[in-house]
Amino acid sequence: MSGLDWNSAFALEILPRLLQGTMWTLITTLASFAVAAVLGIVFAVLCDAPRAIARWPARALVDFIRGTPILIQLYLLYFSLPAIGLTLPALLVGILTLSIHYACYMCDTYRAGLSAVPKGQREAAHSLGLRRRQTFFMIVLPQAIRPIIPMLGNYLIFLFKETPLLSAVAIIELLQTAKLIGSETFRYTEPFTLVGLIFLVLSLAASWVLRKLEARYATGRYGRSTSPGTANEGPRAPTRNAQPQA
Amino acid sequence: MNPDSFLLILSGAATTLDIAARSIVCSLVIAVVVGTATALGGSLVRFLLTVYVELFRGTSLVVQLFWMYFVLPQFGIVLSEHTVAVTAISLNYGAYGAVIVRGAIVAIDKSQWEAASSLGLRRLPTLRYVVFPQASVFLIKPLGVLFVQLVKATSLVSLITIPDLTYRAYQLNQLSMQIVPIFGTVLIIYYLMTKLVAGSSSLLDGYLGTWRRPGAVKP
């Protein structure tokens, strides 16, 4: 085998199947991101819990999960859950693995955001008679999340690029679709090249959107922008008096 | 777990270490060369290297691995699995590293270049003796994080049938069904490896940071 062997008709023929795989990749990415974003808050709160008995196991677990490959974690869950009588669909196991792994990364981001909210905010909420839970969800969390949104966006892109490893346990996402096409037709050039292109286009688009969002949040943070292009672009984040260090 | 399984796991760990070490060295070289060139090169060089960086950062490492494994032979380039693994990981992580290196070099104040030039230093000596030593302080931590990710990413090479730690774990799992002991051992080995990389990067950071950070006093 030598020389470039590219068949455009074949590429066009398999494109719909690959786009269907892309849809599953996107669904997996978004679902994992949503679960990870919530789980990350739980981990962050546990890691900074006032009681050492909650704090240290949480920190150790987060450190361990971050220090080990996601693929092994995927295998572990995929093979061991049925052994304890819990047979979940492969896609669910994949989403679970990705979200636990990324929650551990987001955990530190949330912790930084949470610790950047001035203590006076909690005290003020307390003096107004708000309970701890109310203070956290209504006062502290909204302020903590805003400066870390760009970071969370980066994790969304990382997560997206991590999804092809789910094909290792035969979850039908984009890469698995390409592998299936390859094994049916013995042609690998077109499917894998198209997969690469689809990833490239989507992640470039995502980072472009993210940069736009970041710019918008930056203008919100430092007051009204004077540049003519961004002067009247709809609602923006309000300026805050107490600035967390983003 | 019987001793044979453990030996198999250890042989897998050796393969993983080998691939990780080679990839770290190669990606470091790529990162420094590409990062410096994108920071200082002409517009054509910058454009070409930016295309490389965005290409490898924009597509997934798994996809790159499979592409090199299945598609490169179509171009008449037949590489061994080991070479494919090291090349893909190095090009991918080199691209991420290049951005870090570029940032560190750009962060060095322009006046440093001007001062060096007024002392009669040419571009390369300025880079070697003035800019790199200062930029290295900003490099160690982010590159350390990157290489921790790299060590974890080597597990993906098992998907192109390289008998690394992950592959051995998968294989033993199919044979013996001792899920938790096998994957537990393997997870701990990976954890130790990433801690080794993270630990040495923070040691190096502490060592360099004591005397190279701006305003620091040499002990």
Side-chain angles (χ1 to χ4, degrees):
Chain A
M1 280 195 290
S2 73
L4 181 53
D5 184 26
W6 174 271
N7 184 339
S8 296
F10 179 63
L12 214 60
E13 187 193 315
I14 61 174
L15 196 60
R17 267 183 85 181
L18 287 175
L19 289 180
Q20 206 169 10
T22 313
M23 191 190 73
W24 282 109
T25 291
L26 290 177
I27 290 173
T28 314
T29 308
L30 291 176
S32 312
F33 181 76
V35 178
V38 175
L39 208 57
I41 299 177
V42 176
F43 282 162
V45 171
L46 281 177
C47 283
D48 283 333
R51 286 176 206 279
I53 187 114
R55 195 165 63 227
W56 292 112
R59 286 189 185 180
L61 184 71
V62 166
D63 190 45
F64 189 74
I65 293 178
R66 285 171 53 132
T68 50
I70 205 163
L71 184 57
I72 297 274
Q73 291 162 6
L74 179 66
Y75 284 149
L76 184 62
L77 281 184
Y78 186 73
F79 293 120
S80 71
L81 285 183
I84 58 168
L86 198 64
T87 313
L88 299 175
L91 185 66
L92 212 57
V93 178
I95 292 174
L96 198 64
T97 316
L98 283 175
S99 49
I100 292 177
H101 196 86
Y102 273 83
C104 292
Y105 277 99
M106 292 180 187
C107 168
D108 273 9
T109 316
Y110 278 121
R111 283 171 70 190
L114 287 172
S115 69
V117 177
K119 211 179 160 198
Q121 297 283 326
R122 288 170 198 266
E123 291 166 355
H126 184 71
S127 71
L128 285 171
L130 265 68
R131 286 161 202 277
R132 276 182 54 152
R133 185 166 301 176
Q134 285 174 315
T135 308
F136 182 77
F137 283 109
M138 296 164 72
I139 309 290
V140 179
L141 195 59
Q143 296 187 67
I145 282 186
R146 188 166 294 145
I148 66 171
I149 281 178
M151 253 339 262
L152 292 184
N154 280 338
Y155 286 133
L156 180 66
I157 297 179
F158 280 129
L159 239 173
F160 169 61
K161 284 185 284 188
E162 205 92 73
T163 50
L165 66 81
L166 298 186
S167 67
V169 291
I171 293 171
I172 316 273
E173 40 66 70
L174 184 49
L175 186 67
Q176 182 68 15
T177 312
K179 275 158 88 176
L180 286 177
I181 293 172
S183 58
E184 285 162 16
T185 59
F186 300 107
R187 295 188 67 87
Y188 287 95
T189 311
E190 293 86 358
F192 283 138
T193 308
L194 285 175
V195 167
L197 285 175
I198 292 173
F199 264 99
L200 189 63
V201 167
L202 285 176
S203 68
L204 285 182
S207 30
W208 184 78
V209 170
L210 208 65
R211 267 204 296 276
K212 286 278 162 197
L213 275 179
E214 260 174 67
R216 171 160 294 190
Y217 276 103
T219 49
R221 196 174 306 159
Y222 301 112
R224 278 202 168 273
S225 161
T226 47
S227 72
T230 53
N232 296 310
E233 273 191 351
R236 60 180 85 242
T239 317
R240 283 162 299 141
N241 301 328
Q243 278 195 13
Q245 294 181 339
Chain B
M1 193 171 11
N2 61 45
D4 282 350
S5 311
F6 193 68
L7 278 181
L8 209 60
I9 287 182
L10 280 188
S11 81
T15 311
T16 292
L17 266 183
D18 177 60
I19 289 180
R22 282 169 203 261
S23 309
I24 285 179
V25 172
C26 294
S27 58
L28 189 62
V29 172
I30 293 175
V32 170
V33 172
V34 174
T36 312
T38 40
L40 308 170
S43 54
L44 180 67
V45 173
R46 266 211 314 269
F47 173 75
L48 290 177
L49 291 179
T50 309
V51 168
Y52 152 70
V53 167
E54 290 300 321
L55 195 66
F56 276 86
R57 274 162 39 111
T59 55
S60 174
L61 174 60
V62 195
V63 177
Q64 289 155 23
L65 266 177
F66 276 98
W67 198 86
M68 286 190 193
Y69 188 63
F70 285 107
V71 181
L72 274 189
Q74 300 283 320
F75 291 86
I77 306 169
V78 183
L79 305 169
S80 73
E81 284 120 17
H82 218 78
T83 317
V84 167
V86 174
T87 313
I89 296 175
S90 307
L91 285 173
N92 185 285
Y93 280 84
Y96 281 99
V99 180
I100 297 173
V101 172
R102 189 191 155 272
I105 289 178
V106 170
I108 302 301
D109 203 273
K110 221 181 157 195
S111 62
Q112 296 284 328
W113 286 93
E114 292 163 359
S117 147
S118 74
L119 287 170
L121 257 69
R122 283 162 202 274
R123 268 171 85 88
L124 274 181
T126 308
L127 203 59
R128 163 76 183 82
Y129 295 106
V130 180
V131 176
F132 273 158
Q134 298 183 69
S136 65
V137 178
F138 305 122
L139 284 180
I140 310 295
K141 273 236 167 99
L143 283 183
V145 173
L146 192 71
F147 291 145
V148 167
Q149 304 281 9
L150 188 150
V151 171
K152 293 196 294 169
T154 57
S155 66
L156 300 177
V157 303
S158 65
L159 300 179
I160 55 168
T161 66
I162 291 180
D164 76 327
L165 195 45
T166 307
Y167 186 86
R168 293 299 187 203
Y170 185 82
Q171 197 182 22
L172 281 174
N173 175 61
Q174 306 292 65
L175 290 176
S176 68
M177 299 307 285
Q178 283 189 311
I179 301 155
V180 175
I182 290 168
F183 284 121
T185 313
V186 167
L187 280 174
I188 290 170
I189 295 177
Y190 270 115
Y191 183 70
L192 293 178
M193 284 184 192
T194 53
K195 276 288 139 186
L196 183 75
V197 174
S200 31
S201 111
S202 52
L203 267 184
L204 195 61
D205 184 65
Y207 171 71
L208 286 181
T210 46
W211 58 280
R212 276 187 179 172
R213 217 175 284 290
V217 183
K218 197 167 179 174

